[in-house]
Amino acid sequence: MALAPKPAARPPDLTTTRAPFIEEARAHGEIYIIDQPYELYSDENQATWGRLLERMHDPWARYANRRFLEGMEKLQLSAARIPHLDDINRFMQPLTGFRARAVSGYVPSYVFFDCLRRREFPTTVTIRDGERLEYLPEPDIFHDVAGHVPMHTDQAFAAALVRFGTCAAAAAQRAAAVRDQRERLHRLTSNIRAMSRFFWFSVEFGLMRHAPGDGDGALKVYGSGLLSSFGEIANAIDGPDVERRPFEIGEVVNQPFDIDHYQPRLYVVDSFDHLFALVSELERWMLEGKLDDVAMGEPNVSEADLASFLSYSEP
Ligand SMILES: [Fe+2]
């Protein structure tokens, strides 16, 4: 009996969730920081990058905030090829000290925030499947490099990111001082949830009202989740069903979010100095115990997230 021919094996590449290099890095314990294995990008991966970048030009011109557009102008990302992180860093580090560090995937929350404190941005190196440009259950290099990195060329925004890192360090330090283990875990879970929600509704999905004199008073997008989404960026500004509210810490830290749908509610800041002041305020709230009982719900705080905070040691 003749056997049916096997389908041709896919050559290894760096498509998200199908990249053997990443699995091998994990198997060898290199869970976080890796090298960007540039030679593994296939022609298809490169073409996907080009399509993603080119289709965002018009939405960015219309909806992105000025700082992002200036950052994009400085970085000069090319649709012809996926960027080398080393090239980006040579350019970006002198501007704000930030650099993109290649990671193998999910990074536990304390490790992530602590990277920000050191002006390092954990950056995914895989790229989404070219057949499903919109479907994005996890970050990829387009989200991380085209959505986040242009913002890191701005001093005020970079300072706000570092502030998230110091806030996380303060949360870890505070948790370490709680003797009762149940109480320590309860507070820490709530603190992590609050910080994650704040980060989500600002760095990932934030809107900004440009001040008169720094634009035309228009509402623009600065959140990277929106900046890397062809469908959602327009909806965030023009969608009739989106509620756009002033960024109030007490509301944001108690607001669960759903990563699988367009966000029905978004929060607006005035400037990146305003964002910096809000993160500083978040840390004060945390130290005063005002983030110890935030509303239950998404995001889930995993064992790995908790363990990462509990293994904190004095910087
Ligand atoms: Fe992101």
Side-chain angles (χ1 to χ4, degrees):
M1 186 176 73
L3 292 172
K6 281 186 182 171
R10 260 179 90 93
D13 65 7
L14 285 177
T15 305
T16 302
T17 72
R18 294 204 307 258
F21 172 87
I22 300 298
E23 300 311 320
E24 274 171 37
R26 286 185 182 150
H28 289 92
E30 299 161 26
I31 298 174
Y32 308 128
I33 304 295
I34 58 172
D35 288 326
Q36 182 185 19
Y38 197 89
E39 66 288 351
L40 290 182
Y41 290 117
S42 63
D43 291 347
E44 188 189 324
N45 291 155
Q46 295 284 1
T48 299
W49 168 268
R51 286 163 60 208
L52 286 165
L53 192 68
E54 282 182 336
R55 72 178 189 157
M56 288 309 292
H57 278 147
D58 290 345
W60 283 336
R62 183 160 175 193
Y63 298 114
N65 82 95
R66 281 160 47 113
R67 302 291 176 242
F68 174 84
L69 294 175
E70 287 164 10
M72 211 33 124
E73 182 75 24
K74 288 174 188 161
L75 284 170
Q76 291 287 311
L77 297 178
S78 164
R81 65 185 184 94
I82 294 169
H84 284 271
L85 299 189
D86 288 345
D87 290 341
I88 287 179
N89 292 342
R90 256 192 297 280
F91 183 79
M92 190 168 61
Q93 256 188 302
L95 295 175
T96 61
F98 256 89
R99 61 182 178 141
R101 298 295 304 274
V103 294
S104 56
Y106 167 74
V107 175
S109 56
Y110 186 77
V111 179
F112 179 83
F113 285 124
D114 197 50
C115 282
L116 300 183
R117 192 178 60 77
R118 289 182 274 113
R119 294 185 186 253
E120 294 178 353
F121 188 74
T123 304
T124 317
V125 293
T126 56
I127 186 159
R128 71 195 73 177
D129 186 337
E131 301 288 309
R132 302 153 90 186
L133 293 189
E134 272 300 296
Y135 181 64
L136 191 62
E138 51 192 298
D140 74 344
I141 193 168
F142 183 74
H143 169 78
D144 280 349
V145 169
H148 281 281
V149 166
M151 302 300 305
H152 303 166
T153 61
D154 182 78
Q155 290 282 1
F157 185 82
L161 283 187
V162 173
R163 205 76 183 85
F164 274 105
T166 55
C167 181
Q173 202 169 9
R174 182 169 175 269
V178 179
R179 301 183 75 175
D180 181 83
Q181 197 190 352
R182 269 187 65 170
E183 181 60 20
R184 185 192 308 143
L185 289 180
H186 171 79
R187 287 188 193 180
L188 194 51
T189 303
S190 179
N191 289 179
I192 296 171
R193 191 170 274 134
M195 281 187 283
S196 301
R197 287 174 179 160
F198 187 114
F199 191 87
W200 178 267
F201 286 112
S202 57
V203 176
E204 295 290 357
F205 284 86
L207 302 180
M208 182 186 292
R209 176 82 58 194
H210 281 214
D214 184 26
D216 49 6
L219 191 62
K220 297 287 181 178
V221 165
Y222 74 91
S224 304
L226 298 172
L227 289 164
S228 58
S229 169
F230 183 73
E232 192 166 6
I233 190 170
N235 190 61
I237 300 294
D238 294 335
D241 298 327
V242 178
E243 206 183 336
R244 303 167 190 89
R245 300 170 64 84
F247 198 104
E248 298 288 346
I249 294 176
E251 184 173 327
V252 168
V253 297
N254 286 293
Q255 177 67 52
F257 59 79
D258 176 0
I259 65 169
D260 293 327
H261 298 96
Y262 285 178
Q263 301 303 310
R265 184 175 289 173
L266 297 170
Y267 293 95
V268 183
V269 301
D270 300 334
S271 65
F272 292 132
D273 290 331
H274 181 207
L275 178 63
F276 180 88
L278 285 166
V279 187
S280 303
E281 185 74 7
L282 180 76
E283 182 176 331
R284 275 195 293 280
W285 279 44
M286 190 265 297
L287 292 172
E288 289 168 10
K290 290 160 78 175
L291 303 180
D292 287 348
D293 284 297
V294 299
M296 302 291 280
E298 291 296 319
N300 178 48
V301 176
S302 70
E303 293 286 329
D305 292 327
L306 283 167
S308 70
F309 269 80
L310 292 170
S311 63
Y312 153 91
S313 58
E314 201 82 39

